Amino acid sequence: MTKTIIGSATKELAIGFDRPFVMIGERINPTGRKMFSAELRDRNYWRVKKEALAQVEAGAQMLDVNVGVPLADEPGIMAEVVPLIQSITDVPLCIDSSIIEALEAGLSVYKGRALVNSTTAEEEVMDRVLPLVKKYDAAVVAISNDETGISQDPDVRFEVAKRIVERAHDYGIKSEDILVDPLVMPIGAINSAGKDVFHLIGRLRNELKVNTTCGASNVAFGLPNRHAVNNAFLPMLAGAGMTSAIVNPLHDGLVQAVRAGDVLNGLDPACANWIKAYRPPPAEGEEGTRGRGGRRGRRGG
Amino acid sequence: MTKTIIGSATKELAIGFDRPFVMIGERINPTGRKMFSAELRDRNYWRVKKEALAQVEAGAQMLDVNVGVPLADEPGIMAEVVPLIQSITDVPLCIDSSIIEALEAGLSVYKGRALVNSTTAEEEVMDRVLPLVKKYDAAVVAISNDETGISQDPDVRFEVAKRIVERAHDYGIKSEDILVDPLVMPIGAINSAGKDVFHLIGRLRNELKVNTTCGASNVAFGLPNRHAVNNAFLPMLAGAGMTSAIVNPLHDGLVQAVRAGDVLNGLDPACANWIKAYRPPPAEGEEGTRGRGGRRGRRGG
């Protein structure tokens, strides 16, 4: 069974075919957020801390860290933000940048085994990112597009992903340390976008034996009531065999949907995680009952 | 592509591999409902009407009709209730009873092509139900258990379903007029219940080429926050290839989850149904803008 091990200084996380689905929180990202961008440029990280804590509290098992602000010193900011986040939470991080120096800045201060987000199949990108992944013994997200862009044919995207996996092997990176992003298209534009991804996940899992991830929310781009689409998409992705996704765990119902997917995929033994998360609080006076070995105890046995 | 045609006097509904998922409303059923049972015994049908209208309004494309009350004249009640429901709504009905006379009473007054709920693989049941299905040119739900009960092995349930399909053929009933219920077990008791059903749906679809249905809510029996489990289960069932389910469309989020499943399975062309159902109402004064060929029109083009 393919297993990608990511870790912080004190916590190890396995992403794998027989593991609960891993939610990678996407909220530490200033893209399209004016205030957040300005704060990062000023090296004011209160929002980074807030988003980190809120996402972990909501159920994210990992956090994506993207501090890409135009004209800012992204490597410098990354080098400050990564230790800051690691000082307030123990979940593993995903170092996310399109700037190689920012990736290296993050990796060089990271404690544990990081996930690098990302390489594509573009020659220039692979040649810069993959040696870094190897140097820091990290795992890497492999996005299935190349110099020609994103193919609408999922089987072409499979071949593109395969090329990254093979190149990674050349650099000494194992398949199990690669999370392929099959690329989710907006279903409002491409009606087969869902089916294409489900098909592609199956091929990636069965033929390349790799774990997978994606930016799930893209599927509902432009649609009304898009959270409801996302919340149905995540269990379907998990059912098709996807093992992680970059998501907003603060969106209403999303974490529940993912955890329910785990239950239904048989990845939550005895539904213990589900019951722990959603068991109603004991009624008043029930503590006393429990103390006497009362009804709750017997029901559980 | 397998297609089961059900109909009312004026409306035809196709259940099929390339069709939107069909929600069969389960609320016209007095099981476990004291007041409803008492009303039916008194031939007071106000609640039947209320449940019929509410479920159709919520999005049910069919309604299950079960009037099983101990010691009541179930055939007589069925013969009254079916025309009553058909007089206030045009969705097709599923005539649901364990009493053969009640099934026949419903079928004999039904206008259109009904679904009969159900036969099992028990010899005695098949020998009574299948001739009736043939006589009234109906479709039938085939539940995959027999005299020995429900097997926990999904491949045994497949063989049981196959036996019903073959027996139905003997009676001149085609595969396309059979909806197999693979039987959903409570996942709190059987951790593989979800995966078992996904596997079984695939076999039923690929090997027997039949449509499928189930009582979906059973999966979450005994769990806290069970609606969230159901709402993840339905898109997963659809993703695995199930084509209908008996559900409560009034449960928060359920209809959305099913419709989102259609979108993501590519069964809602151009997301038209989704957009129609969930497009926000136009802002004040926007009617005028649209009249001038304003922004909305351009964005849409």
Side-chain angles (χ1 to χ4, degrees), chain A residues 151-188:
Chain A
S151 171
Q152 285 201 18
D153 180 343
D155 292 321
V156 171
R157 300 214 293 279
F158 175 83
E159 294 303 328
V160 172
K162 194 176 169 192
R163 233 191 302 147
I164 307 177
V165 170
E166 285 166 353
R167 183 67 57 88
H169 291 173
D170 294 344
Y171 282 101
I173 299 162
K174 294 180 195 154
S175 297
E176 68 191 35
D177 287 324
I178 304 167
L179 267 60
V180 171
D181 181 343
L183 284 167
V184 171
M185 302 287 135
I187 203 152

Side-chain angles (χ1 to χ4, degrees), chain A residues 187 195 224 228 256 263 265 274, chain B residues 187 195 224 228 256 263 265 274:
Chain A
I187 203 152
K195 279 169 75 175
Q256 278 187 26
V263 168
N265 274 328
W274 183 266
Chain B
I187 202 153
K195 280 169 75 177
Q256 279 186 25
V263 167
N265 274 328
W274 183 266

Side-chain angles (χ1 to χ4, degrees), chain A residues 70 86 216 272:
Chain A
Q86 290 209 289

Side-chain angles (χ1 to χ4, degrees), chain A:
Chain A
M1 286 286 200
T2 297
K3 204 160 73 175
T4 308
I5 302 290
I6 319 278
S8 65
T10 56
K11 203 173 195 171
E12 197 176 89
L13 178 69
I15 301 173
F17 296 171
D18 57 350
R19 301 280 165 155
F21 194 88
V22 170
M23 293 174 273
I24 306 171
E26 71 182 12
R27 295 279 303 165
I28 302 176
N29 190 326
T31 308
R33 296 160 80 182
K34 232 175 165 173
M35 305 257 286
F36 198 174
S37 298
E39 289 159 7
L40 285 176
R41 209 179 276 115
D42 294 343
R43 311 269 174 131
N44 168 357
Y45 303 135
W46 81 275
R47 200 183 298 270
V48 169
K49 289 194 272 187
K50 180 184 147 230
E51 296 286 13
L53 295 174
Q55 291 182 100
V56 172
E57 166 75 21
Q61 299 104 311
M62 281 185 71
L63 298 176
D64 187 80
V65 181
N66 181 310
V67 291
V69 176
L71 306 179
D73 171 20
E74 192 177 326
I77 296 171
M78 188 66 93
E80 289 174 0
V81 158
V82 164
L84 178 67
I85 299 169
Q86 290 209 289
S87 74
I88 59 170
T89 171
D90 64 355
V91 303
L93 303 184
C94 175
I95 313 289
D96 179 4
S97 178
S98 54
I99 295 176
I100 193 80
E101 293 78 14
L103 290 180
E104 176 135 34
L107 287 168
S108 66
V109 296
Y110 185 75
K111 290 198 185 103
R113 187 161 206 254
L115 177 62
V116 172
N117 189 3
S118 57
T119 187
T120 65
E122 293 164 283
E123 290 293 334
E124 203 190 328
V125 178
M126 287 194 290
D127 288 347
R128 287 184 305 164
V129 173
L130 294 176
L132 207 61
V133 170
K134 180 62 188 170
K135 177 177 170 189
Y136 288 95
D137 184 32
V140 63
V141 174
I143 300 186
S144 44
N145 72 287
D146 62 14
E147 288 83 356
T148 66
I150 300 172
S151 171
Q152 285 201 18
D153 180 343
D155 292 321
V156 171
R157 300 214 293 279
F158 175 83
E159 294 303 328
V160 172
K162 194 176 169 192
R163 233 191 302 147
I164 307 177
V165 170
E166 285 166 353
R167 183 67 57 88
H169 291 173
D170 294 344
Y171 282 101
I173 299 162
K174 294 180 195 154
S175 297
E176 68 191 35
D177 287 324
I178 304 167
L179 267 60
V180 171
D181 181 343
L183 284 167
V184 171
M185 302 287 135
I187 203 152
I190 300 173
N191 205 54
S192 62
K195 279 169 75 175
D196 291 347
V197 168
F198 304 144
H199 165 75
L200 193 37
I201 293 168
R203 290 200 65 193
L204 291 165
R205 183 169 171 143
N206 296 326
E207 298 176 43
L208 291 189
K209 321 266 183 218
V210 289
N211 278 310
T212 43
T213 197
C214 71
S217 65
N218 199 37
V219 80
F221 180 78
L223 291 183
N225 196 12
R226 57 184 295 186
H227 295 335
V229 177
N230 288 340
N231 292 353
F233 192 39
L234 284 158
M236 290 175 89
L237 286 171
M242 185 161 270
T243 46
S244 71
I246 300 174
V247 298
N248 182 347
L250 306 178
H251 275 158
D252 195 29
L254 186 138
V255 171
Q256 278 187 26
V258 169
R259 288 176 176 164
D262 286 340
V263 168
L264 294 162
N265 274 328
L267 300 176
D268 182 0
C271 307
N273 289 337
W274 183 266
I275 292 169
K276 191 177 160 202
Y278 302 113
R279 181 172 41 197
E284 239 175 277
E286 196 153 352
E287 286 303 317
T289 310
R290 199 168 15 161
R292 297 199 306 273
R295 264 178 299 169
R296 265 168 61 116
R298 281 208 296 277
R299 268 207 303 257

Side-chain angles (χ1 to χ4, degrees), chain B residues 108-212:
Chain B
S108 66
V109 295
Y110 185 74
K111 290 198 185 104
R113 187 162 206 255
L115 177 62
V116 172
N117 191 3
S118 57
T119 188
T120 63
E122 293 162 284
E123 290 294 332
E124 203 191 330
V125 177
M126 289 195 288
D127 288 345
R128 285 184 306 164
V129 173
L130 294 176
L132 206 60
V133 171
K134 179 64 187 170
K135 176 178 172 188
Y136 288 95
D137 183 32
V140 63
V141 174
I143 300 186
S144 43
N145 73 287
D146 62 13
E147 287 83 357
T148 65
I150 301 173
S151 172
Q152 285 201 17
D153 179 341
D155 292 320
V156 172
R157 300 214 293 278
F158 175 83
E159 294 303 327
V160 171
K162 193 173 169 195
R163 233 190 303 147
I164 306 177
V165 170
E166 285 166 353
R167 183 66 58 88
H169 290 172
D170 294 343
Y171 281 102
I173 299 163
K174 294 179 194 154
S175 296
E176 68 190 37
D177 287 324
I178 304 166
L179 268 61
V180 171
D181 181 340
L183 283 167
V184 172
M185 302 288 135
I187 202 153
I190 301 173
N191 205 52
S192 62
K195 280 169 75 177
D196 290 347
V197 167
F198 304 145
H199 165 75
L200 193 39
I201 293 168
R203 290 200 66 192
L204 291 166
R205 183 169 172 144
N206 297 326
E207 297 174 46
L208 290 190
K209 321 268 184 216
V210 289
N211 279 310
T212 42

